[in-house]
């Protein structure tokens, strides 16, 4: 997903805040209202300050006569003016790509017969324009959640009672509709927190509406409580009586509780029950949403119209009128799994609308191919905010093949460290090459710098990558700019090529903005969004028109021939050769592409695959020639190009492969730089030829060339293959420090300036000053820098800067010495568009650097400091090191690993292989609350460039409560003290690969609290950390002269508590300071370059007590033996089971024997009480509680309470070992007494609750009170261990408010409160009549104590 942190970006100016992490997501920028000029980000890329404005070249087909005047009219001032029809057309741009001309000639080729798979965030089947096609067929044939985020475990099977009711998975009683057919009478039940199905936006809206209602009810309850308190105080002005004081305290506690509830309200949402059954023909699903509907008696299970798999009946439902969110259901694994499919953002519905919406009443708002049909493959995971997952991507490909789709549109992506690599890419190649599906994807929104195309759209050979174009009509209509540009252009933010291996990156361009349908839950029918996310479905819709026409006319359909048709007929947007890196081969022209396809229908269905390597090097294999550096640009280089024809996998050897032969004439766009042979003859086995590139005499900057082959027998075919050649010749800087000054740059809307600099060796950061002048209205700029490093994502720094008035701004950012740096300065395409004043910019960049002999500092856990040598190679620099350790990473191995073959068809690859899942279980414990994040070094931070398709994880506790889940980009989560389980889910069809991961190391990274962050010290002496002398603060580095110093390890006192040996403290270290322009208040600011520093936690201190001799006391060996035998018998007693009557009888006999042998021995009687408590009770609960009381009484009677009290009142001598042992024994006896009294009190309270009020004797109530009073003599009865009895006592005394206060304190003080405490809390709340609070707490019970862990 991009460019934000996995979520669509609402406003472009947020890009600076969101782009720090190169993560993935839907490729668009959206806004719910008419978007002003400032919405977009990033744009066209002229090489040397050429403003790029464009429209299709004159070679494109002209519009029919007279249509120019209907599109737009010229105002008297010569500006651009829309008419009403052209305004509507601009909201859904189609003329730009020739759709109007194509449909005028072929009105029935409007997408009919074409099926598009939308790989996105999930399409809403209820959205406007997505119900039927132009010829009356269903628009959406299937809706699938490929991520599993809506999966519900329905493996639990129940049967209805005599009244036709079942107990749902939530515990609710559900009445089944008697008309539903269910021959087996078996009902599969599951439940789901509904917010887990909703987007954050929808959840936020519902929370506000629900809280408003809840606040009204809570305020009413507060008023009642306050009224009761005021009446009591009025009646009892001076309550001296203890009972009255307690009654007053109870009323006050009620009021306080309600007020605290209002402050701490956190709505986790209602729980919906899902019921599945087989009606004899198909599986059916019904949903109970009563908790969502509230008190209006709606949402009952029996009133729900059952759904089945969407593909069978194409029906959907709405949860409630409140949310207006539609959903569909799919059933898997014989009813054991139900998928509730909702969308995770409006993105997919918008994309689908651009491609194929049909509005019979508003045809100008139709999508590009209104006759096309769709399937929705949700790859954005709701659990992750809409980020795609490997599981979702692979399942989507499986679905596309299963449905025999013609096209795939995917408006998702992210940067990659290896182009054209990874499991998804491998499977996509199979989908295109074997199953002949045309795959179209967005190029990315990370422009205007070069090398910003992302995976998969911009980096994959078999996928058509699309850039985003904006026309004057779009600017005037959809974007509502005051004065649109004279000509069209690529959006500033559209990603640019080339790829790291030299491929073009962008295949074609298409309109990158539209007002299109959005889901019903947004409470609007359509919305403006813009991005390459919108350009991709525009192109996909255009290709669907081609598919429609080719099918209708019997033209063989192939991704190879279609791609050739659209690329060779695209209209040039700019005539500057280097602009192909921005626009690709040009703006799609559907009509011309179809004419090409008609003419080429008898040609072989073949695609040429290019593999290039430099002479003398066998690796890496490249897809283009990319020279980026001063050394490469000052001499000739020779390259070998291997040209391999690629046929579809079902091609006939004898009929297609053997006779294939093409004689191609080779062309170079500039023979003075690129020399090639004149002709080659290509057969099925391929052919190689050499290219010589000599850039020695070209000027500095960006240059783009192509070598292409033309069929000399049929030159109309255009290029049969292309070899892209990109040459970037950087400027070499001189001076101390090296400086580049660019004065008097002139910018207008959409203008881009690029400079390429050979970053000097020794540079580690750059400081930039940007001054603007001579303009009237505010101006917005993008500043981008990019460096390319092998096997690494592009090193990118970016900033979005707005100048409200002429001024200067300063920036600093890290750089890599020895690598070419692109500096891109772009004025937004829509910034200052109505002004006649250009922006004058003076730009200066200065390079600084401190070279360190070791970039990664690893302290080994010893007391020894580490020596560091620093140099400055460029100019004098201040060396002022600062280092802190602020995180601790603890390694874990799995405690359990489980391999399983996934049971459903959605996990069976087109090859027939079933995907296998490896589930790894890790356990970790937190001694204190902390923010933690899992980290899997092997897998994290790679989606597309990864050979494994999933790395989903979740963190839960022993109650199955899930606290966090994630995938490729783990995130921090706040956890309380306690024990946790982390499960990691990895998928692949090769079991051997998974076997190698069974002991996969995972780190749990924990942030240290601010008070625990460890600053490290620096020294000029090796013994400094021990003797405390020779502190090193700062010095001035003279160019070329080394300086050495030491970084000391943290002291033992600084180490975090409970840090296990082998854990690693990690942090950062910086060395330099920025120059004076960025200083504030006279303080030094450290340079923007930080390096990793770590410290291994050493082995723990040896326990000194181990060497102390153990006192044997004064007991004889015979006495010690007797005690050992006694204690062994007592331990044996606790191990005996009491499951059968025979077991119970044997246990009772042993108890009687031990009591006789050791009469009134308290530890024995305490163990008997413990065993009684552990007995299973089924029928005679009162009898069991009486047995507990009897056992507790025996413990109490065995203790001399007067002697115990007397001893505990005395202080023992801490130096007397025997006295300390006796003290410990007496404290154990006190605890045994208190525990017996506590358990007796619980048993008495339980008997009272089981009997009717009339049957409880007054003496029994007195016994409870006497027992409680005895307990409080020995312990704090409100403590965590005994507080439950205090709660019950307050409750039985008619003081539920006080009981609730004590109970709340108990819950807050426990790290993992037991379920029974929350059950008791709900009972107290219901006794006080607070139904709104009770409902709230019951919903939280589903969060704290879910019945099962959710499926992956």
């Amino acid at each position: 997903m991009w460019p934000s942190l996995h979520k669509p970006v609402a406003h472009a100016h947020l890009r600076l805040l969101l782009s720090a992490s190169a993560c993935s997501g839907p490729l668009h920028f959206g806004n719910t209202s008419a978007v002003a000029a400032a919405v977009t980000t990033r744009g066209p890329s002229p090489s040397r300050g050429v403003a790029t404005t464009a429209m299709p070249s004159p070679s494109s087909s002209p519009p029919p006569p007279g249509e120019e005047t209907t599109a737009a009219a010229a105002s008297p001032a010569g500006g651009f003016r829309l008419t009403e029809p052209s305004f509507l057309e601009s909201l859904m741009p189609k003329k730009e790509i020739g759709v109007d001309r194509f449909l005028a000639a072929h009105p029935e080729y409007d997408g009919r017969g074409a099926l598009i798979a939308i790989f996105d965030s999930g399409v809403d089947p209820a959205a406007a324009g997505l119900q039927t096609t132009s010829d009356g067929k269903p628009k959406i044939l299937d809706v699938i959640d490929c991520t599993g985020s809506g999966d519900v475990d329905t493996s639990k099977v129940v049967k209805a009672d005599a009244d036709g009711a079942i107990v749902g998975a939530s515990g609710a009683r559900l009445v089944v509709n008697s008309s539903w057919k269910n021959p087996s009478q078996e009902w599969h039940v599951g439940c789901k927190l509904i917010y887990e199905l909703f987007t954050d936006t929808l959840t936020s809206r519902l929370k506000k509406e629900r809280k408003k209602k809840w606040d009204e009810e809570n305020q009413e309850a507060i008023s009642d409580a306050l009224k009761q308190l005021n009446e009591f105080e009025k009646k009892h002005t001076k309550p001296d009586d203890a009972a009255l004081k307690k009654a007053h305290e109870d009323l006050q506690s009620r009021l306080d509780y309600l007020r605290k509830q209002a402050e701490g309200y956190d709505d986790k949402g209602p729980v919906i029950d899902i019921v599945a059954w087989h009606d004899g023909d198909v599986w059916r699903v019904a949903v109970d949403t009563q908790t969502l509907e509230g008190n209006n008696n709606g949402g009952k299970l029996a009133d729900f119209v059952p759904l089945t798999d969407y593909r069978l009946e194409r029906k959907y439902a709405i949860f409630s009128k409140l949310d207006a969110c539609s959903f569909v259901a799919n059933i898997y694994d014989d009813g054991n799994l139900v998928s509730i499919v909702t969308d995770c953002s409006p993105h997919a519905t918008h994309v689908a609308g651009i491609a194929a919406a049909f509005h019979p009443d508003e045809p100008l708002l139709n999508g590009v191919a209104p006759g096309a049909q769709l399937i929705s493959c949700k790859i954005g995971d709701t659990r992750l905010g809409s980020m795609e997952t490997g599981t979702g991507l692979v399942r989507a490909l499986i679905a596309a093949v299963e449905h025999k789709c013609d096209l795939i549109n995917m408006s998702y992506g992210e940067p990659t460290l290896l182009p054209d690599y990874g499991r998804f890419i491998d499977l996509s190649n199979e989908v295109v090459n074997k199953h002949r599906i045309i795959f179209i994807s967005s190029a990315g929104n990370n422009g205007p710098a070069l090398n910003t195309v992302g995976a998969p759209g911009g980096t994959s050979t078999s996928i058509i990558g699309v850039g985003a174009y904006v026309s004057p009509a779009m600017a005037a209509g959809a974007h509502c700019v005051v004065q649109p540009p004279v000509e069209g252009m690529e959006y500033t933010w559209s990603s640019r090529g080339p790829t790291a291996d030299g491929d073009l990156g962008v295949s074609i361009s298409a309109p990158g903005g539209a007002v299109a349908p959005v889901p019903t839950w947004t409470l609007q029918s359509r919305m403006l969004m813009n991005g390459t996310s919108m350009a991709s479905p525009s192109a996909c819709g255009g290709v669907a028109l081609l598919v429609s026409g080719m099918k209708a006319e019997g033209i063989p359909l192939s991704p190879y021939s279609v791609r050739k048709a659209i690329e060779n007929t695209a209209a040039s947007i700019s005539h500057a050769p280097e602009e192909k890196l921005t626009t690709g081969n040009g703006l799609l022209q559907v009509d011309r592409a179809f004419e090409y396809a008609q003419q080429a229908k008898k040609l072989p269905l073949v695609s040429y695959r290019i593999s290039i390597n430099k002479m003398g090097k066998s690796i890496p294999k490249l897809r283009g020639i990319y020279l980026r550096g001063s050394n490469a640009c000052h001499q000739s280089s020779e390259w070998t190009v291997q040209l391999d024809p690629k046929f579809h996998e079902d091609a006939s050897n004898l009929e297609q492969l053997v006779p294939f032969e093409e004689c191609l004439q080779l062309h170079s766009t500039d023979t003075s730089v690129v020399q090639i042979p004149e002709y080659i003859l290509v057969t099925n086995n391929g052919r190689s030829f050499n290219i010589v590139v000599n850039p020695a005499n070209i000027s500095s900057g960006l240059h783009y060339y192509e070598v292409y082959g033309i069929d000399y027998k049929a030159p109309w075919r255009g290029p049969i293959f292309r070899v892209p050649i990109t040459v970037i010749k950087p400027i070499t800087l001189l001076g101390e420090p090296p400086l580049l000054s660019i004065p008097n740059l002139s910018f207008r809307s959409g203008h881009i300036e690029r400079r390429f600099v050979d970053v000097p060796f020794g540079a580690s950061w750059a400081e930039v000053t940007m001054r603007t002048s001579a303009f009237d209205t505010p101006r917005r700029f993008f500043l981008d820098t990019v460096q390319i490093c092998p096997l690494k994502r592009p090193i990118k720094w970016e900033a979005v800067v707005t100048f409200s008035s002429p001024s200067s701004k300063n920036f600093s950012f890290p750089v890599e010495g020895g690598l070419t740096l692109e500096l891109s300065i772009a004025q937004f395409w829509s910034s200052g568009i109505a002004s006649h004043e250009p922006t004058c910019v003076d730009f200066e960049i200065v390079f600084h650097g401190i070279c360190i002999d070791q970039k990664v500092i690893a302290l080994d856990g010893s007391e020894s400091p580490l020596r560091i040598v620093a140099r400055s190679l460029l100019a004098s620099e201040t060396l002022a090191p600062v280092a802190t350790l602020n995180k601790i990473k603890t390694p874990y191995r799995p405690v359990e690993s489980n391999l399983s073959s996934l049971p459903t068809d959605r996990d069976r690859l087109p090859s027939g292989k079933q995907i296998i899942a490896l589930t790894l279980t890790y356990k970790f414990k937190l001694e204190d609350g902390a923010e933690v994040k899992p980290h899997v070094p092997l897998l994290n931070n790679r989606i597309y460039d990864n050979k494994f398709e999933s790395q989903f994880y979740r963190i839960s506790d022993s109650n199955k409560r899930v606290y966090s889940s994630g995938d490729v980009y783990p995130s921090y989560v706040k956890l309380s003290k306690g024990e946790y389980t982390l499960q990691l889910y990895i998928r692949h069809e090769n079991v051997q690969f998974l076997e190698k991961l069974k002991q996969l190391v995972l780190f749990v990274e924990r942030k240290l609290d601010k008070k625990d962050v460890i600053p490290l010290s620096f020294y000029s002496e090796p013994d400094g950390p021990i003797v405390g002398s020779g502190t090193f603060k700062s010095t001035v580095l003279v160019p070329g002269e080394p300086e050495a110093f030491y970084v000391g390890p943290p002291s033992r006192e600084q180490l975090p508590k409970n840090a296990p040996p082998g854990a690693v403290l990690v942090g950062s270290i910086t060395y330099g300071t920025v120059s004076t322009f960025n200083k504030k208040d006279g303080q030094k600011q450290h340079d923007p370059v930080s390096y990793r520093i770590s410290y291994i936690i050493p082995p723990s201190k040896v326990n000194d007590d181990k060497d102390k001799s153990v006192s044997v006391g004064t007991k004889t060996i015979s006495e010690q033996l007797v005690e050992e035998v006694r204690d062994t018998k007592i331990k044996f007693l606790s191990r005996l089971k009491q499951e059968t009557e025979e077991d119970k009888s044997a246990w009772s006999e042993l108890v009687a024997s031990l009591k006789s042998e050791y009469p009134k021995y308290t530890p024995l009687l305490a163990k008997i009480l413990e065993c009684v408590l552990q007995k299973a009770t089924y029928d005679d609960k009162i009898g069991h509680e009486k047995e507990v009381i009897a056992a507790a009484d025996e413990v109490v009677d065995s203790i001399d309470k007067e002697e115990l009290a007397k001893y505990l009142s005395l202080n023992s001598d801490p130096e007397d070992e025997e006295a300390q042992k006796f003290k410990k024994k007496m404290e154990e006896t006190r605890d045994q007494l208190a525990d017996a009294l506590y358990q007796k009190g619980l048993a008495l309270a339980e008997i009272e609750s089981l009997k009717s009020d009339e049957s409880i004797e007054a003496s029994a109530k007195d016994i409870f009170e006497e027992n409680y009073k005895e307990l409080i003599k020995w312990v704090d009865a409100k403590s965590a261990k005994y507080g439950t009895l205090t709660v019950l006592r307050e409750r039985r005394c008619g003081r539920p408010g006080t009981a609730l206060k004590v109970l709340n304190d108990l819950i807050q003080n426990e790290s993992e409160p037991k379920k029974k405490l929350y059950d008791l809390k709900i009972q107290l709340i219901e006794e006080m009549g607070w139904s709104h609070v009770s409902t709230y707490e019951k919903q939280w019970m589903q969060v704290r104590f879910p019945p099962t862990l959710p499926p992956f």
Side-chain angles (χ1 to χ4, degrees), residues 715-860:
W716 62 266
R717 295 174 63 188
I720 305 303
F721 71 88
R722 293 179 174 90
V723 178
I725 302 169
T726 306
V727 180
I728 291 176
K729 197 168 188 177
I731 303 167
T732 301
L733 301 181
L734 302 173
E736 290 188 11
L739 176 149
L740 174 65
S741 180
I742 317 173
N744 300 320
L745 294 175
S746 181
F747 284 88
R748 293 189 181 273
S749 303
H751 182 72
I752 301 171
E753 288 282 348
R754 300 185 195 276
R755 294 295 185 273
F756 300 92
V757 181
D758 187 9
V759 177
F761 282 101
S764 52
W765 79 91
E767 298 176 9
V768 166
T769 301
M770 182 177 179
R771 300 181 184 87
T772 58
S773 59
F775 62 92
D776 47 6
T777 58
R779 304 296 159 93
R780 183 172 294 158
F781 286 86
F782 279 142
L783 304 182
D784 281 16
T785 66
V786 173
Q787 291 181 284
I788 305 300
C789 192
L791 295 181
K792 190 175 182 179
R793 290 182 175 182
I795 304 167
K796 191 169 189 284
W797 174 84
E798 59 186 20
V800 178
V801 191
T802 299
F803 291 90
S804 301
S805 59
S807 59
S808 67
K809 294 184 184 291
N810 304 304
F811 311 92
S812 60
F813 52 87
V815 297
E816 288 278 342
L819 297 177
T820 297
L821 174 87
E822 176 193 355
L823 170 65
S824 172
I825 312 166
Q827 185 170 319
F828 273 11
W829 74 270
S830 57
S831 177
I833 202 166
S835 172
H836 298 291
E837 298 290 335
T839 315
C840 183
V841 174
D842 296 318
F843 204 88
E844 183 178 277
I845 179 168
V846 184
F847 291 96
H848 298 265
I850 295 177
C851 296
I852 304 300
D853 59 341
Q854 44 192 325
K855 280 192 174 182
V856 178
I857 306 298
L859 298 165
D860 59 11

Side-chain angles (χ1 to χ4, degrees), residues 436 560 604-606 645-662 682-686:
R436 303 195 180 201
Y560 305 157
L605 302 180
V606 63
K646 176 73 176 179
F647 289 85
H648 289 292
E649 292 189 18
D650 58 356
S652 166
N653 287 340
L654 292 176
E655 295 179 10
Q656 293 172 276
L657 273 59
V658 172
F660 177 77
E661 186 175 279
E662 289 192 329
V682 184
T683 64
N684 173 57
N685 291 321

Side-chain angles (χ1 to χ4, degrees), residues 1117-1134:
I1117 291 176
S1118 177
E1119 289 172 331
Q1120 291 180 50
L1121 178 60
V1122 169
E1123 289 184 358
E1124 287 290 336
V1125 170
R1126 178 197 64 202
D1127 293 344
T1128 301
K1129 288 180 178 180
I1130 293 172
K1131 288 180 182 177
F1132 178 74
L1133 179 68
S1134 64

Side-chain angles (χ1 to χ4, degrees), residues 616-644:
K617 295 180 68 175
S618 59
I619 57 172
K621 295 292 185 183
L622 308 171
R623 294 178 296 158
I625 298 173
Y626 190 10
L627 303 181
R628 184 184 173 106
S630 56
N631 290 337
C633 294
H634 284 97
Q635 58 188 10
S636 295
S637 56
E638 189 168 357
W639 306 78
T640 299
V641 179
Q642 178 64 38
L643 200 60
D644 290 311

